[in-house]
Each structure stands twice: as structure tokens, then as C-alpha cells.
Amino acid sequence: MTGLHTIEAMRDAARRRLPRFAFDFVDGGSGAESALARNCAAFEAVRLLPRVLTGAVARDPSLELFGAKYALPFGVAPIGLANLAGSGTDLGLAQAALDAGAPYTLSTAATTSIETIARTAPGAWFQLYVGADHAIVEDLIDRAEAAGFKTLIVTVDVPAPGKRVRDLVNGFSLPLRPTPAMALDLLAHPGWALDLAANGAPRFANLEAYGGKGAGAQSLAKLMAGQSSARLDWALLADIRRRWKGALVVKGVLHPQDAARLAELGADGVVVSNHGGRQLDSAPAPIEALPAVRAAVGPRLPVLLDGGVRRGEDIARAVALGADMVLLGRPFLYAAAARGARRGGGELFAILADELDRAMTQLGASTLAELRQVEVFAPTTFNAAPARPDLRAVESRRTAP
Ligand SMILES: Cc1cc2nc3c(=O)[nH]c(=O)nc-3n(C[C@H](O)[C@H](O)[C@H](O)COP(=O)(O)O)c2cc1C
């Protein structure tokens, strides 16, 4: 491989390739971007205690989840407007995930349709935004089922959109209305601009069906703006549970009581997530919230995590603290922008798989079940047990050697 060995290197390459407004849309967070920074920093505070003299263990990081077998315990998080990283990003990442034996999640706000992804990458997951128009929500669920999707991820952490300061400063909105600064930005990034000229601006492909005849980008963008989940509550989620026959996973959970109630409601899994630091800026890092969520739901409910995962050892840390599977958002967009989606996504899967393999070897863990037994020190986790509504910072599972 020629040179890109880390997500940081892919991010640098993406920054060079993309115009500023596109890079900032992908890279940025909300508010002061504290949650965004915390998501990565909190991983560094998690220590794993290696075991030595374990001999040559054969490593197997595969798992079964929601009725499917995966070769790797990490996959692609749902990403709206992914084709801003380059045309064909959704499709290329879906193919890269399929090649790697890992899950890919298609967003409601994707730039490629449910039906197209289903043809290319059977087994992909679909992420649902519960927008203002209930008929659209029901139709999206039915379309996903008809296309053969088996896992639905309902995102619940967007009751109001986060305040993304970088987008405001850049004047980034949809449809793209180039300001003079943007025009200069485009001239400075001719590769990206030519791709856009050849393939058209990214569109909300899943919502085009509802825009009415002749719907332009503007009305679709308006439609998307109504996709935040303000009206979503427990009763509505129960309705969705009744309608969707496949695995139902709820994304954007941080409080253990919410996780426990979701298990009671019949959710098949939760994703511990703060939306990659793009929503509540004072939210804890998912890796900080994970142990209490796992404690609240017990050992059997699948718990996934996303936010701030930047190397294979972060995946090991998340599994050791109770995650079954980890998802990544921005890193796959950096990879797509840097190398093209299928190739870059494939390289990213390979980098992370290699790093995870090295970590498992050094920890003496041959399977994910053994990784879960590794001794962990995590200094800043929450312990909001179901019986106690208050969040209290305590040490979790501190262990002495
Ligand atoms: C550009 C971008 C678009 C996103 N779009 C969606 C989306 O449409 N639906 C959703 O549930 N989450 C969305 N997310 C959040 C991701 O699914 C995921 O929670 C987050 O990126 C994880 O953090 P990471 O980027 O540090 O891996 C988006 C994130 C980014 C960076």
C-alpha cells in the first residue's frame, strides 16, 4: 500500500481533495466541538491490561449479529450526503463493507437509494429518520422491507438539529448556492469540482419519491430539514416496532435507563452514540457511557457503539468495555475522498482489521468473547443504574493486576 497507514493520513488527504465547505461538513461537529474532541480523547484514557506468554493464539474476530455472520466487529455508520466526498461514495463503501464481510448502513439522507444499495450490497442495514410526515416514514420502512433489508436502525438523537458552526460560517446549505468564497474554493479543488460537474450534485435519493412531480433540489432539501426526530417518542417507536418485522436497533442512546427501556420495548439492539459530536456538545463520549449501558441491559442485548473510533485498538477497547460491534462514520468518508470509496474503504477495513489483530494478539485474546474478559481501566465512565436516575461519574470495573 502506498503511504496511507492511518485515519489521520486519510483525513489529511481528504482535506486536500475536498473544497473547504465539503470537508468541514464531513469533519465538523456542533457547538464548540467539545463532544467531537472528547469522543477520540476518551478512548485514549481506556487502558487494557495485556497477558503475556499466551503462545501463538489464532485470532478470530468474527461474530454473529442480528441473524447474520460478520467477519469483523466493525462497519460503516449511516452517513447523509456521503457523495459530497465524491460521486459513488455510498455504493463504493457498501461494496467495500461487503468485500470485508462487515455491515454497511444506508442513511435515510443518503445520496443513493434504498433500492440501488439493495441490489449492490444485499445484507446492508437501513437507518431511519422519523420525520414530520408519517406517511413517508411508513413508506420508507415498507421500501426497506421490500428491498430485502433485515436490520433497521432508528436514529433518535436528532430532536433538533445540532448547531454546526463550520457550516454556518461557510454558508453551506442545500441546494448549493456558491458564494464567491465557495467559487474560489472550487477552483482550488478542480478534481472534486470536475467530478461534481460530470456526475451532478449529491441529492437525497431516498426522498425524491416524495418531493412531488418535478421536485427540485430545493424542495428535497426542505423535506430533509423536516427529517429530524422531534415528534419521536416511546409510543411512536412502539408503533415502528410493530410495523418492522426484522431487527430493530435504536441509535443515539447514552443513558442506561433509556437503553433498559428500549430492551423492554422490544428493540433488538442499541447504538451508544452522540451522533459523532454533531448534536449535544456537552454529551459524554460514547465510550464513557458504554459500561453503564451494558450493565443496564445485561449481557444478551446487542450493544453497538460509534463515535471517535480511529484505530483498531479503539475497537478492542470498545469490545472490552461491552460493545458487540463498532461503527465508524467520518473515517470512511476520509477514505472515500482520499482514495475513492471502494478502494479507500477496503484499505480502511484492512488497516483497522490489522490493528485489531495485533491488539488481540498482544492481549492474548483469540476471540471477541476473550477480548470481553480483558481487564480494563476506564477512569471516567457513568454509573446510572436503572434504579438511579442521576448520572454519577465513578470508576467502572477498576481492576488490580
Ligand atoms: C457527514 C456525516 C453525516 C452523518 N449522517 C448521519 C445520518 O444521516 N444518520 C445518522 O443516524 N447518523 C449520521 N451521522 C452520524 C454517524 O452515523 C455516526 O454516528 C458518527 O459519524 C460516528 O462518529 P465518527 O464520525 O467519529 O465515527 C453522520 C455523521 C457524519 C460525519
Side-chain angles (χ1 to χ4, degrees):
M1 208 173 72
T2 55
L4 298 183
H5 301 293
T6 62
I7 288 171
E8 287 81 359
M10 289 183 165
R11 179 173 180 265
D12 286 345
R15 192 206 290 273
R16 288 192 294 275
R17 164 88 183 168
L18 300 179
R20 173 87 186 248
F21 67 86
F23 179 78
D24 277 347
F25 169 74
V26 167
D27 192 63
S30 57
E33 302 195 342
S34 315
L36 174 58
R38 187 156 51 245
N39 285 358
C40 294
F43 271 106
E44 285 168 30
V46 177
R47 319 270 157 76
L48 303 179
L49 201 56
R51 301 305 301 259
V52 294
L53 300 170
T54 52
V57 290
R59 279 88 50 207
D60 174 10
S62 69
L63 75 160
E64 230 180 283
L65 190 65
F66 309 134
K69 181 110 175 126
Y70 296 103
L72 295 169
F74 58 95
V76 185
I79 298 163
L81 274 182
N83 284 5
L84 263 190
S87 62
T89 293
D90 298 304
L91 266 180
L93 291 180
Q95 284 165 331
L98 196 65
D99 295 343
Y104 166 83
T105 317
L106 181 76
S107 164
T108 292
T111 32
T112 306
S113 74
I114 292 172
E115 291 76 14
T116 304
I117 290 291
R119 277 194 297 275
T120 311
W125 301 348
F126 180 62
Q127 176 264 325
L128 180 73
Y129 274 130
V130 179
D133 185 333
H134 198 61
I136 293 180
V137 172
E138 292 193 339
D139 194 60
L140 285 167
I141 294 172
D142 294 349
R143 279 173 63 192
E145 188 184 348
F149 284 75
K150 300 275 186 282
T151 298
L152 183 73
I153 300 203
V154 181
T155 296
V156 297
D157 59 3
V158 192
K163 180 171 175 176
R164 313 255 171 85
V165 178
R166 291 199 220 181
D167 294 347
L168 293 171
V169 170
N170 292 332
F172 176 67
S173 64
L174 286 172
L176 282 179
R177 272 189 222 91
T179 59
M182 259 186 215
L184 285 177
D185 201 0
L186 287 174
L187 283 175
H189 298 89
W192 189 91
L194 286 172
D195 180 26
L196 186 85
N199 296 294
R203 297 172 68 93
F204 294 117
N206 287 321
L207 303 176
E208 284 182 328
Y210 316 116
K213 237 183 166 188
Q218 183 144 25
S219 61
L220 289 175
K222 247 194 208 148
L223 201 61
M224 194 55 233
Q227 291 303 306
S228 75
S229 51
R231 73 191 179 94
L232 190 53
D233 61 11
W234 291 97
L236 185 47
L237 190 69
D239 283 349
I240 292 172
R241 170 67 289 183
R242 279 188 286 276
R243 190 176 191 94
W244 176 255
K245 308 290 180 302
L248 181 84
V249 183
V250 179
K251 173 173 180 280
V253 178
L254 292 165
H255 200 297
Q257 286 180 15
D258 288 341
R261 191 165 167 189
L262 286 164
E264 277 171 31
L265 182 141
D268 296 297
V270 294
V271 185
V272 178
S273 171
N274 62 16
H275 215 100
R278 292 163 83 83
Q279 288 297 112
L280 182 72
D281 197 29
S282 44
I287 194 68
E288 294 171 329
L290 172 67
V293 168
R294 171 52 81 199
V297 299
R300 272 187 297 279
L301 189 84
V303 174
L304 292 78
L305 172 141
D306 73 23
V309 176
R310 295 295 179 267
R311 50 200 88 244
E313 282 197 27
D314 294 342
I315 300 167
R317 286 162 157 148
V319 172
L321 279 172
D324 293 276
M325 167 78 81
V326 159
L327 303 175
L328 299 92
R330 293 179 187 82
F332 280 106
L333 290 179
Y334 302 146
R339 308 289 256 178
R342 188 169 190 177
R343 177 175 170 204
E347 288 178 7
L348 181 50
F349 271 113
I351 289 170
L352 292 170
D354 169 63
E355 291 174 353
L356 175 62
D357 187 67
R358 290 171 199 254
M360 287 177 72
T361 310
Q362 295 183 78
L363 290 163
S366 62
T367 61
L368 297 179
E370 287 182 20
L371 196 47
R372 219 155 278 133
Q373 301 307 314
V374 164
E375 303 286 357
V376 188
F377 175 70
T380 54
T381 57
F382 292 95
N383 180 24
R388 296 185 66 95
D390 57 317
L391 290 171
R392 292 179 306 137
V394 295
E395 286 186 0
S396 88
R397 287 219 280 153
R398 183 207 262 273
T399 53

